[in-house]
mmCIF file with all atom_site columns, all heavy atoms in Angstrom:
data_model
loop_
_atom_site.group_PDB
_atom_site.id
_atom_site.type_symbol
_atom_site.label_atom_id
_atom_site.label_alt_id
_atom_site.label_comp_id
_atom_site.label_asym_id
_atom_site.label_entity_id
_atom_site.label_seq_id
_atom_site.pdbx_PDB_ins_code
_atom_site.Cartn_x
_atom_site.Cartn_y
_atom_site.Cartn_z
_atom_site.occupancy
_atom_site.B_iso_or_equiv
_atom_site.pdbx_formal_charge
_atom_site.auth_seq_id
_atom_site.auth_comp_id
_atom_site.auth_asym_id
_atom_site.auth_atom_id
_atom_site.pdbx_PDB_model_num
ATOM 1   N N   . HIS B 1 60  ? 0.451  7.596  -6.475 1.00 98.00 ? 335 HIS B N   1
ATOM 2   C CA  . HIS B 1 60  ? 0.068  8.587  -5.515 1.00 98.00 ? 335 HIS B CA  1
ATOM 3   C C   . HIS B 1 60  ? -1.471 8.667  -5.490 1.00 98.00 ? 335 HIS B C   1
ATOM 4   O O   . HIS B 1 60  ? -2.043 9.723  -5.268 1.00 98.00 ? 335 HIS B O   1
ATOM 5   C CB  . HIS B 1 60  ? 0.615  9.964  -5.929 1.00 98.00 ? 335 HIS B CB  1
ATOM 6   C CG  . HIS B 1 60  ? 1.041  10.819 -4.735 1.00 98.00 ? 335 HIS B CG  1
ATOM 7   N ND1 . HIS B 1 60  ? 1.785  11.966 -4.886 1.00 98.00 ? 335 HIS B ND1 1
ATOM 8   C CD2 . HIS B 1 60  ? 0.833  10.717 -3.412 1.00 98.00 ? 335 HIS B CD2 1
ATOM 9   C CE1 . HIS B 1 60  ? 1.982  12.486 -3.702 1.00 98.00 ? 335 HIS B CE1 1
ATOM 10  N NE2 . HIS B 1 60  ? 1.404  11.763 -2.809 1.00 98.00 ? 335 HIS B NE2 1
ATOM 11  N N   . THR B 1 63  ? -3.690 9.838  -2.264 1.00 98.00 ? 338 THR B N   1
ATOM 12  C CA  . THR B 1 63  ? -3.827 11.339 -2.139 1.00 98.00 ? 338 THR B CA  1
ATOM 13  C C   . THR B 1 63  ? -4.697 11.911 -3.243 1.00 98.00 ? 338 THR B C   1
ATOM 14  O O   . THR B 1 63  ? -5.499 12.802 -2.867 1.00 98.00 ? 338 THR B O   1
ATOM 15  C CB  . THR B 1 63  ? -2.357 11.921 -2.215 1.00 98.00 ? 338 THR B CB  1
ATOM 16  O OG1 . THR B 1 63  ? -1.562 11.323 -1.210 1.00 98.00 ? 338 THR B OG1 1
ATOM 17  C CG2 . THR B 1 63  ? -2.428 13.423 -2.052 1.00 98.00 ? 338 THR B CG2 1
ATOM 18  N N   . ALA B 1 74  ? -6.756 14.494 5.056  1.00 98.00 ? 349 ALA B N   1
ATOM 19  C CA  . ALA B 1 74  ? -6.793 13.111 5.653  1.00 98.00 ? 349 ALA B CA  1
ATOM 20  C C   . ALA B 1 74  ? -5.594 12.315 5.250  1.00 98.00 ? 349 ALA B C   1
ATOM 21  O O   . ALA B 1 74  ? -5.075 12.459 4.107  1.00 98.00 ? 349 ALA B O   1
ATOM 22  C CB  . ALA B 1 74  ? -8.055 12.389 5.250  1.00 98.00 ? 349 ALA B CB  1
ATOM 23  N N   . GLY E 1 128 ? 3.664  10.534 -9.655 1.00 98.00 ? 404 GLY E N   1
ATOM 24  C CA  . GLY E 1 128 ? 3.367  11.053 -8.348 1.00 98.00 ? 404 GLY E CA  1
ATOM 25  C C   . GLY E 1 128 ? 2.714  12.445 -8.412 1.00 98.00 ? 404 GLY E C   1
ATOM 26  O O   . GLY E 1 128 ? 2.223  12.949 -7.350 1.00 98.00 ? 404 GLY E O   1
ATOM 27  N N   . ALA E 1 240 ? -0.455 13.168 6.552  1.00 98.00 ? 516 ALA E N   1
ATOM 28  C CA  . ALA E 1 240 ? -1.436 14.104 6.101  1.00 98.00 ? 516 ALA E CA  1
ATOM 29  C C   . ALA E 1 240 ? -1.315 14.305 4.593  1.00 98.00 ? 516 ALA E C   1
ATOM 30  O O   . ALA E 1 240 ? -0.262 13.961 4.013  1.00 98.00 ? 516 ALA E O   1
ATOM 31  C CB  . ALA E 1 240 ? -1.284 15.430 6.805  1.00 98.00 ? 516 ALA E CB  1
ATOM 32  N N   . THR E 1 241 ? -2.383 14.779 3.936  1.00 98.00 ? 517 THR E N   1
ATOM 33  C CA  . THR E 1 241 ? -2.303 15.083 2.507  1.00 98.00 ? 517 THR E CA  1
ATOM 34  C C   . THR E 1 241 ? -2.750 16.507 2.182  1.00 98.00 ? 517 THR E C   1
ATOM 35  O O   . THR E 1 241 ? -3.314 17.220 3.022  1.00 98.00 ? 517 THR E O   1
ATOM 36  C CB  . THR E 1 241 ? -3.208 14.101 1.752  1.00 98.00 ? 517 THR E CB  1
ATOM 37  O OG1 . THR E 1 241 ? -4.539 14.171 2.313  1.00 98.00 ? 517 THR E OG1 1
ATOM 38  C CG2 . THR E 1 241 ? -2.731 12.672 1.807  1.00 98.00 ? 517 THR E CG2 1
ATOM 39  N N   . ASP E 1 242 ? -2.422 16.948 0.951  1.00 98.00 ? 518 ASP E N   1
ATOM 40  C CA  . ASP E 1 242 ? -2.756 18.265 0.464  1.00 98.00 ? 518 ASP E CA  1
ATOM 41  C C   . ASP E 1 242 ? -3.414 18.050 -0.879 1.00 98.00 ? 518 ASP E C   1
ATOM 42  O O   . ASP E 1 242 ? -3.576 16.852 -1.325 1.00 98.00 ? 518 ASP E O   1
ATOM 43  C CB  . ASP E 1 242 ? -1.494 19.089 0.297  1.00 98.00 ? 518 ASP E CB  1
ATOM 44  C CG  . ASP E 1 242 ? -1.709 20.563 0.103  1.00 98.00 ? 518 ASP E CG  1
ATOM 45  O OD1 . ASP E 1 242 ? -2.935 20.964 -0.036 1.00 98.00 ? 518 ASP E OD1 1
ATOM 46  O OD2 . ASP E 1 242 ? -0.779 21.323 0.082  1.00 98.00 ? 518 ASP E OD2 1
ATOM 47  N N   . ARG E 1 243 ? -3.859 19.101 -1.545 1.00 98.00 ? 519 ARG E N   1
ATOM 48  C CA  . ARG E 1 243 ? -4.331 18.913 -2.946 1.00 98.00 ? 519 ARG E CA  1
ATOM 49  C C   . ARG E 1 243 ? -3.193 18.314 -3.763 1.00 98.00 ? 519 ARG E C   1
ATOM 50  O O   . ARG E 1 243 ? -2.031 18.693 -3.547 1.00 98.00 ? 519 ARG E O   1
ATOM 51  C CB  . ARG E 1 243 ? -4.715 20.316 -3.545 1.00 98.00 ? 519 ARG E CB  1
ATOM 52  C CG  . ARG E 1 243 ? -5.705 21.108 -2.734 1.00 98.00 ? 519 ARG E CG  1
ATOM 53  C CD  . ARG E 1 243 ? -7.058 20.500 -2.608 1.00 98.00 ? 519 ARG E CD  1
ATOM 54  N NE  . ARG E 1 243 ? -7.631 20.076 -3.854 1.00 98.00 ? 519 ARG E NE  1
ATOM 55  C CZ  . ARG E 1 243 ? -8.540 20.807 -4.588 1.00 98.00 ? 519 ARG E CZ  1
ATOM 56  N NH1 . ARG E 1 243 ? -8.738 22.058 -4.231 1.00 98.00 ? 519 ARG E NH1 1
ATOM 57  N NH2 . ARG E 1 243 ? -8.998 20.367 -5.725 1.00 98.00 ? 519 ARG E NH2 1
ATOM 58  N N   . LEU E 1 244 ? -3.475 17.383 -4.672 1.00 98.00 ? 520 LEU E N   1
ATOM 59  C CA  . LEU E 1 244 ? -2.422 16.702 -5.359 1.00 98.00 ? 520 LEU E CA  1
ATOM 60  C C   . LEU E 1 244 ? -1.696 17.631 -6.403 1.00 98.00 ? 520 LEU E C   1
ATOM 61  O O   . LEU E 1 244 ? -0.513 17.714 -6.430 1.00 98.00 ? 520 LEU E O   1
ATOM 62  C CB  . LEU E 1 244 ? -2.946 15.438 -6.127 1.00 98.00 ? 520 LEU E CB  1
ATOM 63  C CG  . LEU E 1 244 ? -1.962 14.599 -6.837 1.00 98.00 ? 520 LEU E CG  1
ATOM 64  C CD1 . LEU E 1 244 ? -0.832 14.081 -5.926 1.00 98.00 ? 520 LEU E CD1 1
ATOM 65  C CD2 . LEU E 1 244 ? -2.605 13.410 -7.460 1.00 98.00 ? 520 LEU E CD2 1
ATOM 66  N N   . ALA E 1 245 ? -2.489 18.343 -7.187 1.00 98.00 ? 521 ALA E N   1
ATOM 67  C CA  . ALA E 1 245 ? -1.897 19.187 -8.184 1.00 98.00 ? 521 ALA E CA  1
ATOM 68  C C   . ALA E 1 245 ? -1.483 20.552 -7.575 1.00 98.00 ? 521 ALA E C   1
ATOM 69  O O   . ALA E 1 245 ? -2.254 21.091 -6.709 1.00 98.00 ? 521 ALA E O   1
ATOM 70  C CB  . ALA E 1 245 ? -2.886 19.471 -9.294 1.00 98.00 ? 521 ALA E CB  1
ATOM 71  N N   . ARG E 1 249 ? -3.570 24.343 -5.119 1.00 97.00 ? 525 ARG E N   1
ATOM 72  C CA  . ARG E 1 249 ? -3.207 24.823 -3.763 1.00 97.00 ? 525 ARG E CA  1
ATOM 73  C C   . ARG E 1 249 ? -3.364 26.359 -3.705 1.00 97.00 ? 525 ARG E C   1
ATOM 74  O O   . ARG E 1 249 ? -2.863 27.023 -4.600 1.00 97.00 ? 525 ARG E O   1
ATOM 75  C CB  . ARG E 1 249 ? -1.859 24.391 -3.377 1.00 97.00 ? 525 ARG E CB  1
ATOM 76  C CG  . ARG E 1 249 ? -1.746 22.854 -3.388 1.00 97.00 ? 525 ARG E CG  1
ATOM 77  C CD  . ARG E 1 249 ? -0.276 22.396 -3.063 1.00 97.00 ? 525 ARG E CD  1
ATOM 78  N NE  . ARG E 1 249 ? -0.083 21.027 -3.476 1.00 97.00 ? 525 ARG E NE  1
ATOM 79  C CZ  . ARG E 1 249 ? 1.119  20.459 -3.646 1.00 97.00 ? 525 ARG E CZ  1
ATOM 80  N NH1 . ARG E 1 249 ? 2.213  21.140 -3.413 1.00 97.00 ? 525 ARG E NH1 1
ATOM 81  N NH2 . ARG E 1 249 ? 1.225  19.154 -4.054 1.00 97.00 ? 525 ARG E NH2 1
ATOM 82  N N   . LEU E 1 255 ? 3.503  24.248 2.303  1.00 98.00 ? 531 LEU E N   1
ATOM 83  C CA  . LEU E 1 255 ? 3.324  22.832 2.161  1.00 98.00 ? 531 LEU E CA  1
ATOM 84  C C   . LEU E 1 255 ? 2.344  22.395 3.325  1.00 98.00 ? 531 LEU E C   1
ATOM 85  O O   . LEU E 1 255 ? 2.772  22.003 4.401  1.00 98.00 ? 531 LEU E O   1
ATOM 86  C CB  . LEU E 1 255 ? 4.570  22.061 2.273  1.00 98.00 ? 531 LEU E CB  1
ATOM 87  C CG  . LEU E 1 255 ? 5.599  22.266 1.138  1.00 98.00 ? 531 LEU E CG  1
ATOM 88  C CD1 . LEU E 1 255 ? 6.825  21.321 1.280  1.00 98.00 ? 531 LEU E CD1 1
ATOM 89  C CD2 . LEU E 1 255 ? 4.940  22.019 -0.253 1.00 98.00 ? 531 LEU E CD2 1
ATOM 90  N N   . ALA E 1 257 ? 0.438  19.730 3.777  1.00 98.00 ? 533 ALA E N   1
ATOM 91  C CA  . ALA E 1 257 ? 0.543  18.424 4.331  1.00 98.00 ? 533 ALA E CA  1
ATOM 92  C C   . ALA E 1 257 ? 1.707  18.287 5.258  1.00 98.00 ? 533 ALA E C   1
ATOM 93  O O   . ALA E 1 257 ? 1.635  17.665 6.284  1.00 98.00 ? 533 ALA E O   1
ATOM 94  C CB  . ALA E 1 257 ? 0.720  17.410 3.146  1.00 98.00 ? 533 ALA E CB  1
ATOM 95  N N   . SER E 1 258 ? 2.781  18.984 4.924  1.00 98.00 ? 534 SER E N   1
ATOM 96  C CA  . SER E 1 258 ? 3.967  18.954 5.777  1.00 98.00 ? 534 SER E CA  1
ATOM 97  C C   . SER E 1 258 ? 3.619  19.571 7.138  1.00 98.00 ? 534 SER E C   1
ATOM 98  O O   . SER E 1 258 ? 3.951  19.108 8.196  1.00 98.00 ? 534 SER E O   1
ATOM 99  C CB  . SER E 1 258 ? 5.138  19.763 5.106  1.00 98.00 ? 534 SER E CB  1
ATOM 100 O OG  . SER E 1 258 ? 6.211  19.938 5.971  1.00 98.00 ? 534 SER E OG  1
ATOM 101 N N   . LEU E 1 377 ? 8.143  13.326 1.995  1.00 98.00 ? 653 LEU E N   1
ATOM 102 C CA  . LEU E 1 377 ? 7.100  13.987 1.228  1.00 98.00 ? 653 LEU E CA  1
ATOM 103 C C   . LEU E 1 377 ? 6.824  13.107 -0.046 1.00 98.00 ? 653 LEU E C   1
ATOM 104 O O   . LEU E 1 377 ? 7.758  12.497 -0.595 1.00 98.00 ? 653 LEU E O   1
ATOM 105 C CB  . LEU E 1 377 ? 7.491  15.300 0.713  1.00 98.00 ? 653 LEU E CB  1
ATOM 106 C CG  . LEU E 1 377 ? 7.822  16.413 1.736  1.00 98.00 ? 653 LEU E CG  1
ATOM 107 C CD1 . LEU E 1 377 ? 8.132  17.713 1.085  1.00 98.00 ? 653 LEU E CD1 1
ATOM 108 C CD2 . LEU E 1 377 ? 6.713  16.592 2.806  1.00 98.00 ? 653 LEU E CD2 1
ATOM 109 N N   . GLY E 1 378 ? 5.571  13.057 -0.448 1.00 98.00 ? 654 GLY E N   1
ATOM 110 C CA  . GLY E 1 378 ? 5.219  12.413 -1.714 1.00 98.00 ? 654 GLY E CA  1
ATOM 111 C C   . GLY E 1 378 ? 5.088  13.442 -2.840 1.00 98.00 ? 654 GLY E C   1
ATOM 112 O O   . GLY E 1 378 ? 4.402  14.440 -2.583 1.00 98.00 ? 654 GLY E O   1
ATOM 113 N N   . GLY E 1 379 ? 5.582  13.191 -3.991 1.00 97.00 ? 655 GLY E N   1
ATOM 114 C CA  . GLY E 1 379 ? 5.412  14.086 -5.121 1.00 97.00 ? 655 GLY E CA  1
ATOM 115 C C   . GLY E 1 379 ? 5.922  15.492 -4.769 1.00 97.00 ? 655 GLY E C   1
ATOM 116 O O   . GLY E 1 379 ? 7.026  15.662 -4.195 1.00 97.00 ? 655 GLY E O   1
ATOM 117 N N   . THR E 1 380 ? 5.117  16.537 -5.057 1.00 97.00 ? 656 THR E N   1
ATOM 118 C CA  . THR E 1 380 ? 5.505  17.877 -4.766 1.00 97.00 ? 656 THR E CA  1
ATOM 119 C C   . THR E 1 380 ? 5.016  18.323 -3.395 1.00 97.00 ? 656 THR E C   1
ATOM 120 O O   . THR E 1 380 ? 4.746  19.488 -3.182 1.00 97.00 ? 656 THR E O   1
ATOM 121 C CB  . THR E 1 380 ? 4.925  18.801 -5.845 1.00 97.00 ? 656 THR E CB  1
ATOM 122 O OG1 . THR E 1 380 ? 3.504  18.552 -5.973 1.00 97.00 ? 656 THR E OG1 1
ATOM 123 C CG2 . THR E 1 380 ? 5.557  18.617 -7.176 1.00 97.00 ? 656 THR E CG2 1
ATOM 124 N N   . GLY E 1 381 ? 4.882  17.313 -2.538 1.00 98.00 ? 657 GLY E N   1
ATOM 125 C CA  . GLY E 1 381 ? 4.516  17.670 -1.127 1.00 98.00 ? 657 GLY E CA  1
ATOM 126 C C   . GLY E 1 381 ? 3.039  17.331 -0.844 1.00 98.00 ? 657 GLY E C   1
ATOM 127 O O   . GLY E 1 381 ? 2.528  17.744 0.228  1.00 98.00 ? 657 GLY E O   1
ATOM 128 N N   . ALA E 1 382 ? 2.322  16.666 -1.697 1.00 98.00 ? 658 ALA E N   1
ATOM 129 C CA  . ALA E 1 382 ? 0.864  16.402 -1.517 1.00 98.00 ? 658 ALA E CA  1
ATOM 130 C C   . ALA E 1 382 ? 0.654  15.330 -0.406 1.00 98.00 ? 658 ALA E C   1
ATOM 131 O O   . ALA E 1 382 ? -0.422 15.275 0.145  1.00 98.00 ? 658 ALA E O   1
ATOM 132 C CB  . ALA E 1 382 ? 0.278  15.917 -2.806 1.00 98.00 ? 658 ALA E CB  1
ATOM 133 N N   . THR E 1 383 ? 1.712  14.529 -0.062 1.00 98.00 ? 659 THR E N   1
ATOM 134 C CA  . THR E 1 383 ? 1.657  13.675 1.056  1.00 98.00 ? 659 THR E CA  1
ATOM 135 C C   . THR E 1 383 ? 2.851  13.991 1.959  1.00 98.00 ? 659 THR E C   1
ATOM 136 O O   . THR E 1 383 ? 3.901  14.314 1.481  1.00 98.00 ? 659 THR E O   1
ATOM 137 C CB  . THR E 1 383 ? 1.790  12.193 0.680  1.00 98.00 ? 659 THR E CB  1
ATOM 138 O OG1 . THR E 1 383 ? 0.686  11.871 -0.245 1.00 98.00 ? 659 THR E OG1 1
ATOM 139 C CG2 . THR E 1 383 ? 1.737  11.242 1.836  1.00 98.00 ? 659 THR E CG2 1
ATOM 140 N N   . ALA E 1 384 ? 2.580  13.986 3.258  1.00 98.00 ? 660 ALA E N   1
ATOM 141 C CA  . ALA E 1 384 ? 3.701  14.120 4.199  1.00 98.00 ? 660 ALA E CA  1
ATOM 142 C C   . ALA E 1 384 ? 3.511  13.111 5.354  1.00 98.00 ? 660 ALA E C   1
ATOM 143 O O   . ALA E 1 384 ? 2.383  13.085 5.893  1.00 98.00 ? 660 ALA E O   1
ATOM 144 C CB  . ALA E 1 384 ? 3.791  15.537 4.751  1.00 98.00 ? 660 ALA E CB  1
#
Side-chain angles (χ1 to χ4, degrees):
Chain B
H335 216 169
T338 302
Chain E
T517 54
D518 195 352
R519 307 297 308 268
L520 184 57
R525 303 177 196 162
L531 294 185
S534 171
L653 302 183
T656 51
T659 300

